[in-house]
Amino acid sequence: MEQIKVEKLLVNYKTLEKFKRFKEYGNQELAMIDDLQNNIIENDSKSPFYGIYYGDNLIARMSLYEVDRKYDNYFAPPQKFLTLWKLEVLPDYQGKGYGKALVEFAKGFQLPIKTNPRINSHGFWEKMGFLKAHYEMERDLGENPLIWLPKGVKEKATNS
């Protein structure tokens, strides 16, 4: 099997055109087009977007945001963590390891990760080592976040 390469996506109009392909597949709830448009300044701006290309086609993508420790209500002691948001693989490429490659890439930063999975995706996240968070932040509004912990990091206990 070929080596899967995750790349930081440039914040530019060319990437915006590639993102439109995802929206055409009916995944408007995951469309990052608005996110990208809001971040377009220049190619060298700091991008939260990562993706995998198959040839010239962007086939998988995610947003990965670093969150400062002052907003951490998940881990003990409070620390900086990543929010993995909007992981998506085009239908023709699903089940081929591309989603897993994106998650493994995120884990490579060795920071705790929080995600809010889509409906029917819990099995994927469990295989990737994510667990249900016991301590929910008010702003998650019952979205049932899942977390992944690198070795040596402890989750905060529930306040009950």
Side-chain angles (χ1 to χ4, degrees):
M1 185 173 160
E2 68 183 77
Q3 180 73 13
I4 298 173
K5 181 182 174 196
V6 176
E7 300 179 30
K8 182 170 251 189
L9 301 177
L10 297 175
V11 179
N12 62 25
Y13 288 100
K14 185 176 180 183
T15 304
L16 178 62
E17 287 303 311
K18 292 180 186 274
F19 275 20
K20 288 180 181 176
R21 182 168 178 218
F22 286 83
K23 190 171 184 177
E24 290 171 4
Y25 278 92
N27 292 316
Q28 286 89 350
E29 75 277 7
L30 292 180
M32 291 188 262
I33 292 173
D34 290 338
D35 245 356
L36 181 62
Q37 285 176 324
N38 292 335
N39 282 298
I40 289 179
I41 299 169
E42 295 180 23
N43 276 345
D44 61 354
S45 66
K46 188 172 180 181
S47 170
F49 307 109
Y50 295 87
I52 298 172
Y53 285 89
Y54 188 85
D56 289 335
N57 296 318
L58 179 64
I59 61 163
R61 65 186 183 169
M62 72 175 168
S63 296
L64 196 60
Y65 293 93
E66 191 173 292
V67 181
D68 190 87
R69 70 177 27 155
K70 67 183 173 182
Y71 302 110
D72 177 9
N73 287 319
Y74 290 98
F75 310 102
Q79 60 195 284
K80 132 173 98 167
F81 66 97
L82 299 174
T83 294
L84 194 157
W85 194 49
K86 298 182 180 180
L87 176 81
E88 186 176 13
V89 178
L90 290 176
D92 290 344
Y93 299 92
Q94 291 175 2
K96 298 180 180 179
Y98 297 110
K100 178 181 178 181
L102 287 170
V103 174
E104 291 296 338
F105 178 84
K107 287 179 177 180
F109 288 97
Q110 288 299 304
L111 291 171
I113 301 171
K114 178 191 95 67
T115 191
N116 289 313
R118 293 186 352 204
I119 297 171
N120 300 325
S121 69
H122 283 273
F124 168 78
W125 293 104
E126 287 171 3
K127 285 185 211 171
M128 297 304 304
F130 282 72
L131 305 168
K132 184 174 181 176
H134 291 101
Y135 185 89
E136 291 190 38
M137 294 168 55
E138 288 179 28
R139 68 186 174 126
D140 281 320
L141 304 173
E143 293 177 353
N144 299 316
L146 299 178
I147 57 172
W148 175 81
L149 305 166
K151 289 183 180 179
V153 176
K154 295 182 181 174
E155 180 183 4
K156 283 188 177 180
T158 309
N159 282 342
S160 52

